[in-house]
Amino acid sequence: MIKVSDIVRIGPVIPVLAFESVEEGEAVCRALYEGGVKVLEITLRTEAGLGVIEAASKIADDIVVGVGTLTKPEQVAAAKKAGAQFGVSPGLTRELHDAAVAAGLPLLPGCMTPSDLVQAVSFGYEIVKFFPAQQAGGVPMLQAFYGPFPTLRFCPTGGITPETAPNFLALPNVVCVGGSWMTPKSAVAAKDWAEVTRLARGASQLAHHHAQKAA
């Protein structure tokens, strides 16, 4: 079973994805993979989510497909069965944590407040998602968290752009970022997979300099 600490080392920029169909999802995931992005978060925000996870998992041996927007315990087992290798949630409950442990699905839980972080630490998490990053205080908030939570590491997600990603990745407590800028709606609608690959390549290069920090 791959650990979250290993996953963030492979993919310091993790695309957050939602698709209208399995065909669309598979095409986008292939384009991202061709651009060097090997870790994907496919959310359950649409009906196609589980089908895309299943299809994307078969693209290559070294692709790591995760399931996003986990909010209910029953979603965890279904995602694992579809081929998800890790889970991402917008928040954290004991029920969600227990379901992830029972399914053997490594979880990157969403946290936003100091109370959230205290709970995550009490459950044994060392890496959490900071969500929604931009709206919840961005870089200054993560800097403020470093004092009381020096051992916690973060994957900020929400409102991050290619321009602001380096500012997040430069922080000592940030190991990766999540974002949707690699799959602009216009490119997906036009089936411009070359543009998705180009943006993925840019994200991969951006992350390269920071990959060692997650070690």
Side-chain angles (χ1 to χ4, degrees):
M1 186 172 78
I2 194 165
K3 295 178 185 172
V4 169
S5 56
D6 297 325
I7 291 164
V8 297
R9 228 179 353 252
I10 302 165
V13 178
I14 301 174
V16 181
L17 308 163
F19 301 110
E20 295 309 316
S21 71
V22 174
E23 294 73 25
E24 177 187 87
E26 188 174 4
V28 170
C29 292
R30 281 187 187 281
L32 288 166
Y33 182 79
E34 281 177 29
V37 172
K38 295 181 180 180
V39 178
L40 313 172
E41 179 192 331
I42 296 167
T43 68
L44 298 181
R45 295 176 192 181
T46 64
E47 294 295 318
L50 289 175
V52 178
I53 289 167
E54 202 168 337
S57 300
K58 296 168 184 166
I59 288 172
D61 289 340
D62 60 346
I63 200 165
V64 182
V65 179
V67 56
T69 325
L70 288 173
T71 55
K72 301 171 189 170
E74 57 268 26
Q75 294 171 320
V76 175
K80 179 83 189 280
K81 192 178 173 189
Q85 289 178 266
F86 69 101
V88 186
S89 64
L92 179 62
T93 62
R94 167 59 74 179
E95 291 76 19
L96 209 51
H97 168 75
D98 288 346
V101 171
L105 190 73
L107 186 65
L108 183 65
C111 296
M112 194 180 91
T113 68
S115 293
D116 293 345
L117 298 180
V118 169
Q119 175 175 264
V121 170
S122 76
F123 287 174
Y125 291 97
E126 296 172 352
I127 302 172
V128 299
K129 169 169 130 168
F130 178 49
F131 177 81
Q134 202 56 48
Q135 297 86 339
V139 167
M141 189 72 149
L142 286 163
Q143 287 171 325
F145 282 156
Y146 192 55
F149 303 102
T151 60
L152 261 184
R153 296 295 174 262
F154 294 88
C155 174
T157 304
I160 294 174
T161 66
E163 292 73 37
T164 61
N167 302 333
F168 283 95
L169 288 165
L171 297 175
N173 54 347
V174 168
V175 286
C176 64
V177 298
S180 54
W181 75 80
M182 288 164 271
T183 55
K185 285 178 181 172
S186 56
V188 174
K191 298 189 176 180
D192 186 354
W193 310 136
E195 174 65 1
V196 173
T197 295
R198 186 186 73 77
L199 292 167
R201 200 166 282 127
S204 300
Q205 288 163 356
L206 173 78
H208 180 71
H209 303 293
H210 302 276
Q212 296 308 311
K213 251 193 2 186

